[in-house]
Amino acid sequence: MLRLAAASLAGTAVEFYDFFVYGTAAALVLGPLFFPTFSPLAGTLAAFGTFGVGFVARPLGSVLFGHFGDRRGRRPVLVASLLLTGASTVAVGCLPTYRTIGVAAPVLLLVLRFLQGLGLGGEWGGAVLLTAEHAPPGRRALWSSFPQIGPAVGFLLANGVMLALSASLSEAQFAHWGWRVPFWAAGLLALSGLWLRSSLAESPRFLELDDHARVPIAEVVRHHWRLVLLTAGALAVGYAVFYAVTTWSLAYGTERLGVSRTDMLVCIMAAVVVKGSLTPVMALLSDRYGRRPLCLAGCTASALWMFPMVALLATGEPVLMFLGFTGALIAFIAMFSVVAAYLPELYEPRVRCTGAAVGYNLGGVLGGALTPIVATALAEHSGRVPWAVAAYLTVVALLSLGCFALLPETRPVPVAVAEPVTG
């Protein structure tokens, strides 16, 4: 289990590195390079628009890769999705800018971001299911939380490279070629991820299946559409909070508050370290007390913390911003440390790869794709403290809370307290 969980974590970290390095570049540099005829605000919105396309592609990737995951196995999905995401990310680093090829540059950027999202949409379902279906029921949330640590590791890698380049290069050097280096590095990371995953065994739960769904997405839509919509709505707040902290706040802090790029990256990265460290702790609590209570608690905490977080961000003081970000990400991980076990338990095994991944990634469209764009637009018409952004995030949290309240508990009942067998 430890080898399997470590390989899943490493592969997920690589894929989310690819996804996050784009988000950081969108906040810092892609607007002027690919949309130079726009105003600074419009350029940032356009860059975030291409960022959002990756989220729109993720449910499609879930359908495509989920089909093969439910028909052919979880393991092949991990290899194919990693290759697609890695190749797309390296290609972004090689892409000429608007000054060189004109309007073709943002069009190609859009296409490559779409392919990135397509690969990541397949990654999560395969990595989580391979771990969850190997894990013993009483520790399923703990072992399944390892792939959920991957996004934190990927984020730290992506922003660590960006921070090092930002600190060591001039503005002109960073804009000319420095921003490309993290995208090129994705190629080496993808190769290392493929090597780690080459020895993984197929899920025993999949091998036990005698009857595989012919068209998994058709069964999901026919029999589980309500569950898909509820899980998507429930997870929207997690995406909204995470990308408000890691993407929108980075652009807002550097452009509106005048905080240095280095200070903003350090504050965000430190909060992500706390989040990553607490992931297995929250998962253990889920194994002990249940999936749904942790999700409800995290969602409630998110609703209560959005106004304090925005107020702390608006101070521009690194320590206070770090506290605001940390509180938000602790609330986030109370939910997202659990979903790797929770979502697979909600769906029957024959359509689990498709159903769980589609619900998870639709939540990304609702929360992740829209939040940087909506928050940037709302902040533009606010004063120094963008209360409208806090209100938007609070509304998303309350809507997600309602969806979580309608979902059932799934934690396996321990043998010691199960109903006795009579005969």
Side-chain angles (χ1 to χ4, degrees), residues 20-300:
F20 289 143
V21 79
Y22 187 99
T24 304
L28 296 178
V29 74
L30 293 186
L33 292 176
F34 288 88
F35 305 95
T37 59
F38 291 15
S39 68
L41 172 63
T44 300
L45 286 170
F48 281 152
T50 59
F51 173 78
V53 165
F55 284 97
V56 175
R58 283 173 65 171
L60 299 178
S62 301
V63 173
L64 174 64
F65 288 101
H67 178 87
F68 293 102
D70 285 320
R71 294 280 300 166
R72 304 296 180 189
R74 321 310 192 195
R75 186 173 174 272
V77 168
L78 299 182
V79 175
S81 62
L82 188 58
L83 281 172
L84 178 59
T85 309
S88 304
T89 305
V90 172
V92 172
C94 300
L95 197 61
T97 61
Y98 187 93
R99 179 177 293 181
T100 305
I101 60 172
V103 73
V107 171
L108 289 172
L109 184 67
L110 197 70
V111 171
L112 291 173
R113 180 59 174 174
F114 181 87
L115 293 176
Q116 259 194 339
L118 203 67
L120 192 61
E123 157 67 22
W124 185 86
V128 163
L129 286 189
L130 202 62
T131 309
E133 291 182 341
H134 273 91
R139 285 289 179 267
R140 187 174 293 143
L142 174 63
W143 289 114
S144 300
S145 73
F146 276 71
Q148 294 297 83
I149 300 172
V153 176
F155 180 86
L156 293 172
L157 282 173
N159 285 273
V161 174
M162 282 289 190
L163 180 60
L165 291 167
S166 177
S168 58
L169 300 177
S170 67
E171 290 284 341
Q173 289 173 321
F174 185 79
H176 182 57
W177 60 268
W179 68 272
R180 298 181 183 273
V181 174
F183 290 91
W184 295 336
L188 294 175
L189 291 173
L191 290 176
S192 67
L194 288 172
W195 176 75
L196 285 167
R197 288 181 165 180
S198 62
S199 61
L200 295 182
E202 184 53 79
S203 157
R205 192 70 187 89
F206 175 79
L207 295 175
E208 291 170 2
L209 285 175
D210 296 322
D211 182 26
H212 300 284
R214 278 182 69 86
V215 185
I217 186 60
E219 288 198 20
V220 168
V221 172
R222 189 180 305 119
H223 301 298
H224 304 288
W225 62 270
R226 182 176 180 273
L227 184 56
V228 169
L229 294 179
L230 283 176
T231 52
L235 298 180
V237 62
Y239 283 101
V241 168
F242 186 82
Y243 288 100
V245 170
T246 60
T247 302
W248 167 74
S249 67
L250 180 59
Y252 182 79
T254 54
E255 295 173 8
R256 289 287 300 274
L257 302 179
V259 181
S260 75
R261 187 163 55 208
T262 300
D263 285 347
M264 286 301 303
L265 285 172
V266 167
C267 288
I268 295 169
M269 289 171 65
V272 171
V273 169
V274 176
K275 175 195 86 79
S277 302
L278 289 177
T279 301
V281 177
M282 295 293 186
L284 274 172
L285 291 175
S286 167
D287 278 328
R288 182 175 179 83
Y289 298 108
R291 321 300 189 211
R292 192 165 168 270
L294 264 291
C295 292
L296 291 172
C299 207
T300 302

Side-chain angles (χ1 to χ4, degrees), residues 300-386:
T300 302
S302 296
L304 295 174
W305 188 248
M306 291 303 97
F307 278 90
M309 184 197 78
V310 166
L312 291 168
L313 167 64
T315 66
E317 295 293 329
V319 174
L320 296 179
M321 289 191 297
F322 164 73
L323 290 175
F325 298 154
T326 300
L329 292 184
I330 289 174
F332 159 81
I333 205 57
M335 296 174 280
F336 271 57
S337 66
V338 174
V339 297
Y342 195 16
L343 264 63
E345 290 169 350
L346 286 168
Y347 291 88
E348 59 180 307
R350 57 186 276 115
V351 296
R352 184 173 284 163
C353 194
T354 301
V358 168
Y360 183 85
N361 287 300
L362 276 178
V365 176
L366 298 175
L370 295 177
T371 292
I373 300 170
V374 172
T376 299
L378 290 175
E380 180 65 17
H381 302 289
S382 302
R384 182 176 176 84
V385 183

